[in-house]
Amino acid sequence: MLVAPPGAGKGTQAEMLSVHYGIAHLSSGDILRREVAASTKIGLIVADYVQRGDLVPDELILEILTAPILEAVKHGGYVLDGFPRTLRQAEEAYQVAASIEGIELQAVIHLEVGREELHRRLLVRAQLEGRDDDTEAVIAHRLEVFGSETEPMLAFYAKRGLVIDINGDQPVDRVFASIVAAVDGVNVDGR
Ligand code: AMP
């Protein structure tokens, strides 16, 4: 599972990890953007939240992600990108995981990047990808939401010894190598 503020490279690293380990890449943000683009029932409900940079209500996220996670478990596992993102999501995901064999988390990768660099990267991405939520005002809000809603959730995983801090302010390949070394270390230890 990857936890990182917007702009830290979470999506890029999650995709590389899913290819490297041959497992599914489950990005809650990508799933939500697809629902919005296709104007599905869920897409219509979540569109405003995503555009404002607010978190989508926990019940909806859990409803959207439970099926893809269970499907991925059947095929060898998953990299979670962007979920859980609140303490409540983490607690509920833990309840679901406890009842199903083979679903437990092995590592929580926390990518750390300074705020100025995040801001700079998000503005570059805005030029390249044109995401609605990569405007100056929404970027500032998403960074705040990360600090108030998501960062506190890390303590939940730290208590179980799962959190691995990685310096995300390095070239993409260096970040990737650090994550793989850390994850393989976890597996070798059998933790
Ligand atoms: P991301 O692509 O991970 O930056 O997510 C983009 C947006 O999707 C976020 O700003 C939220 O509006 C929404 N989102 C993604 N994942 C979650 C989640 N786990 N819980 C609530 N909202 C989410």
Side-chain angles (χ1 to χ4, degrees):
M1 166 186 158
L2 286 160
V3 182
K10 182 165 59 71
T12 303
Q13 296 297 331
E15 184 56 31
M16 291 166 79
L17 289 165
S18 80
V19 171
H20 181 80
Y21 291 109
I23 53 179
H25 171 196
L26 297 179
S27 158
S28 50
D30 284 351
I31 292 172
L32 291 171
R33 280 184 287 278
R34 277 200 293 275
E35 297 281 340
V36 172
S39 299
T40 61
K41 206 170 134 203
I42 283 180
L44 293 172
I45 300 172
V46 302
D48 285 347
Y49 290 95
V50 175
Q51 187 157 15
R52 287 196 306 264
D54 282 327
L55 294 182
V56 167
D58 292 328
E59 313 77 64
L60 272 178
I61 281 290
L62 291 158
E63 189 184 318
I64 295 166
L65 282 169
T66 304
I69 291 175
L70 295 181
E71 190 56 30
V73 168
K74 285 192 220 153
H75 298 100
Y78 50 81
V79 182
L80 282 184
D81 162 6
F83 170 86
R85 208 143 160 157
T86 64
L87 183 57
R88 178 161 167 232
Q89 290 178 17
E91 285 169 348
E92 300 235 350
Y94 182 71
Q95 294 299 328
V96 174
S99 61
I100 299 166
E101 207 181 321
I103 204 178
E104 72 278 2
L105 274 179
Q106 287 171 301
V108 176
I109 306 296
H110 173 218
L111 288 182
E112 296 180 296
V113 177
R115 206 180 156 106
E116 270 179 32
E117 173 63 9
L118 291 173
H119 220 88
R120 191 193 66 74
R121 290 186 191 179
L122 286 164
L123 290 175
V124 170
R125 185 170 80 185
Q127 305 273 319
L128 296 174
E129 294 179 18
R131 259 174 64 167
D132 285 351
D133 58 351
D134 277 345
T135 60
E136 281 262 22
V138 180
I139 287 170
H141 183 55
R142 287 163 62 213
L143 289 169
E144 263 169 42
V145 169
F146 179 79
S148 61
E149 303 280 333
T150 307
E151 236 166 6
M153 175 192 78
L154 280 168
F156 175 85
Y157 294 107
K159 262 190 257 161
R160 307 215 313 273
L162 287 171
V163 178
I164 299 169
D165 293 323
I166 299 282
N167 173 12
D169 195 356
Q170 315 176 71
V172 172
D173 289 344
R174 291 279 292 277
V175 175
F176 179 66
S178 311
I179 298 175
V180 169
V183 168
D184 289 349
V186 167
N187 289 336
V188 169
D189 292 344
R191 232 164 60 185

